[in-house]
Each structure stands twice: as C-alpha cells, then as structure tokens.
C-alpha cells in the first residue's frame, strides 16, 4: 500500500536527516530507486512531474510503486511533483496517491494561498499529505521555466502566514537552489533558511538539489530541510550510459542488454544522494 509522506517527514525532522525524493519516469528508474533504498534501508519518495504522468500514465505509476512497496519493508511513497492542475491532483488522489505537491508559486501570494487551501481541504479528507511552494526557483522543471528576473527567495514572515492560512503539511522554499544544473557553485542563503525554520514548524523541502555540493545540502539538512528533491543528476548517468553503450554496440537491439548498465550508472548516484541525506538505516 502507498503511504503518505507525512510521518516520513516528521520522523526525518525529529531524526535530523532528510528523505530523498527521486524523480522517476518508468519501470527501470523506479526499480533502481527502490532496490537501492531497500539495500540501504532508507525511506524514499518517488516523485512524478505532470509530464511523467502524461508519459507513463498515472494508473501505471501508482501500480508500479504499490508493487514496490508490497515487495519491501522500507517506507516508500509516491508523490506528485510540481502539479498545477487541481483536477489532475484530485484524480490521482482518488486513484490512491497519498502525497501531492500543488505548485501555485507563480501566482500571487493570495492566489497561491487560495489554490493550496482548496487542495489541502480535499486531500486531508483522504489522509493525503500536501506540499506547496513559496518563492520561485530559477531554471526549468517540466514546461515551467523561470528566468533570473522572475525568481524570488522565500520570505520567512510570509512563509509563516502561508502555512497558517493554508494548513499545508510541508513547504518547499527558495533559498538559492535552481532546477537543473548550475553554471557556477550555488550560494545558498542559510540565514534565510534559519529564519524560516524559526517561524515555520512543518517540514521544509529543498528543490533543485542536482549539482549542489554534498556539504551544502548537508548543511541545509542540519538547518531543518527534511526532504531533498533530485531529478537532473539521475537522468545524466542513465542517458550517458545508453550513449556509450550504443557507440560501442551499434547493432544491439535488446533492451535487457542496454538498460542494465544504464540502471547501474544511475544506482551510483542514488547511493551518493541517500548518503548525502543521512537517511540510510532509517527505513
Ligand atoms: P533538479 O533537477 O535540479 O535535481 O531538481 C529536482 C526537483 O526539484 C524536482 O522537484
């Protein structure tokens, strides 16, 4: 059965670690994440953006993750990442999804509150955990592109008001990370994170962790981050391995041959990120 991310994140908050949320796209990427998390005894979140849902189908995704969580004893959650369409979220909840992100961060503060509140009211009737975002990360996630001029950091006082007014369960904040890779090392605003942590008691979420140095992510976890989202850094080794495989074996057609090294390459990154989150032996 799928579990919500609520207890997972509260446990992480108490334990001083973060639960890694890996963006998955298909059976193979789900297998790599759950098999590795199981080996390391880490709780894990499998995240799907709207374009992943469009590509793989919500019914397939839910059944695949349910199968994984029946197979292993570690806490495994399926989470809708960066969803904007209220009706899509309600449909996924009715199909059994236990954790959702409603991303209304590109709307005004008041509109963001209104949209998030609607989802919270609906989701809580089904015991579903809701994540929302305040502030805007630079970069591209799915079709949503935010350039430098549109990005904004999370204001601590507004974060407090936002959480009180929406009743949301976890909050994604903008403190200097970006979606996708970085041109130079990101400078994270740790002071802002500390200020938010003083005012906001629910679990805090760090998006855009690909390319952020190990020690910087570790510091955000020490300062109160309980969930770390990783997407781009998993796609790169998978794709690089496939390119290398076909350069060496141009006539190979069997997916069981070329997908195995791609999965192994991705697994190395999953191990590093679970280690970075300090979540091993917490599952
Ligand atoms: P990255 O692709 O930068 O790791 O961002 C992932 C993310 O925040 C998904 O919500």
């Amino acid at each position: 059965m799928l579990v919500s991310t609520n207890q997972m994140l509260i446990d992480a908050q108490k334990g001083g670690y973060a639960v890694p949320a890996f963006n998955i796209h298909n059976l193979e990427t789900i297998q790599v994440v759950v098999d590795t998390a199981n080996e390391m005894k880490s709780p894990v979140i499998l995240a799907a953006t709207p374009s992943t849902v469009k590509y793989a189908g919500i019914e397939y995704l839910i059944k695949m993750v349910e199968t994984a969580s029946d197979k292993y004893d570690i806490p495994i959650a399926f989470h809708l990442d960066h969803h904007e369409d209220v009706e899509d979220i309600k449909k996924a909840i009715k199909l059994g999804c236990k954790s959702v992100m409603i991303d209304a961060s590109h709307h005004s503060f008041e509109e963001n509150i209104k949209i998030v509140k609607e989802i919270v009211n609906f989701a809580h009737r089904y015991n579903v955990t809701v994540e929302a975002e305040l502030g805007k990360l630079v970069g591209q996630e799915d079709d949503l592109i935010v350039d430098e001029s549109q990005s904004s950091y999370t204001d601590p006082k507004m974060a407090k008001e936002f959480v009180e007014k929406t009743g949301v369960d976890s909050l994604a904040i903008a403190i200097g990370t970006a979606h996708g890779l970085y041109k130079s090392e990101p400078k994270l605003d740790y002071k802002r994170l500390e200020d938010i942590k003083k005012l906001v008691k629910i679990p805090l979420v760090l998006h855009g962790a690909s390319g952020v140095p190990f020690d910087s992510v570790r510091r955000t976890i020490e300062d109160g981050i309980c969930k770390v989202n990783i997407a781009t850094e998993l796609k790169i080794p998978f794709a690089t391995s496939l390119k290398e495989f076909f350069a060496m074996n141009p006539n190979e057609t069997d997916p069981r041959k070329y997908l195995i090294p791609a999965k192994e390459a991705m697994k190395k990154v999953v191990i590093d990120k679970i280690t970075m989150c300090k979540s091993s032996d917490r599952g």
Side-chain angles (χ1 to χ4, degrees):
M1 207 186 71
L2 295 181
V3 295
S4 85
T5 48
N6 195 34
Q7 195 57 45
M8 265 188 193
L9 297 187
I10 288 170
D11 289 346
Q13 198 175 39
K14 283 194 201 126
Y17 61 96
V19 182
F22 296 109
N23 284 75
I24 48 78
H25 305 96
N26 54 11
L27 173 67
E28 285 74 19
T29 50
I30 291 174
Q31 285 173 326
V32 176
V33 170
V34 293
D35 291 355
T36 312
N38 183 59
E39 282 168 27
M40 298 179 77
K41 295 285 161 252
S42 169
V44 75
I45 298 168
L46 300 156
T49 61
S51 56
T52 300
V53 170
K54 198 170 159 203
Y55 166 74
I58 189 71
E59 292 87 353
Y60 278 113
L61 289 167
I62 288 177
K63 288 290 175 209
M64 284 192 283
V65 183
E66 268 176 359
T67 305
S69 54
D70 287 346
K71 191 172 165 193
Y72 294 128
D73 284 337
I74 52 165
I76 298 175
F78 174 67
H79 173 75
L80 294 186
D81 190 31
H82 287 289
H83 271 60
E84 294 171 55
D85 189 300
V86 169
E87 293 314 314
D88 282 353
I89 295 176
K90 290 182 177 173
K91 178 183 164 194
I93 290 174
K94 285 184 185 155
L95 286 169
C97 178
K98 290 282 169 207
S99 181
V100 302
M101 175 188 192
I102 168 73
D103 183 358
S105 60
H106 45 286
H107 291 282
S108 70
F109 183 62
E110 290 72 27
E111 193 63 13
N112 193 351
I113 289 175
K114 187 168 157 260
I115 297 168
V116 172
K117 225 169 138 176
E118 180 186 342
I119 291 295
V120 168
N121 289 342
F122 184 85
H124 283 181
R125 283 197 265 132
Y126 292 81
N127 277 328
V128 170
T129 315
V130 183
E131 173 184 329
E133 179 164 325
L134 189 65
K136 290 190 200 83
L137 263 67
V138 79
Q140 178 163 6
E141 186 62 62
D142 261 12
D143 302 329
L144 194 68
I145 303 170
V146 177
D147 68 27
E148 210 90 41
S149 66
Q150 297 163 311
S151 71
S152 61
Y153 284 16
T154 308
D155 177 87
K157 286 203 188 87
M158 284 168 94
K160 181 176 189 285
E161 186 184 341
F162 184 85
V163 169
E164 283 167 0
K165 288 194 168 155
T166 56
V168 75
D169 304 293
S170 61
L171 185 69
I173 54 169
I175 54 164
T177 56
H179 286 124
L181 293 181
Y182 298 83
K183 292 190 195 90
S184 58
E185 192 180 311
K187 299 261 169 295
L188 304 191
D189 191 343
Y190 301 106
K191 168 81 174 61
R192 184 177 296 270
L193 171 57
E194 278 169 29
D195 291 345
I196 297 170
K197 181 78 187 99
K198 276 183 205 141
L199 298 176
V200 174
K201 299 301 164 204
I202 61 169
L204 299 174
V205 179
L206 187 74
H207 280 245
S210 290
V212 181
F214 185 99
D215 290 341
S216 307
V217 175
R218 274 281 175 97
R219 184 161 168 198
T220 67
I221 295 169
E222 275 154 31
D223 290 347
I225 290 291
C226 307
K227 172 174 175 273
V228 173
N229 286 21
I230 306 126
T232 309
E233 260 192 276
L234 297 189
K235 288 186 205 159
I236 295 169
F238 198 90
T240 305
S241 166
L242 289 175
K243 286 180 222 167
E244 285 169 2
F245 185 94
F246 286 114
M248 301 279 285
N249 308 277
N251 298 321
E252 185 57 66
T253 57
D254 187 341
R256 291 160 298 185
K257 297 259 169 62
Y258 56 76
L259 288 170
I260 287 173
K263 288 170 74 176
E264 278 162 7
M266 183 177 151
K267 178 175 179 160
K268 291 196 182 92
V269 180
V270 174
I271 292 173
D272 287 350
K273 299 302 174 190
I274 290 176
T275 307
M276 180 180 78
C277 287
K278 298 197 281 184
S279 61
S280 55
D281 296 317
R282 306 284 190 165

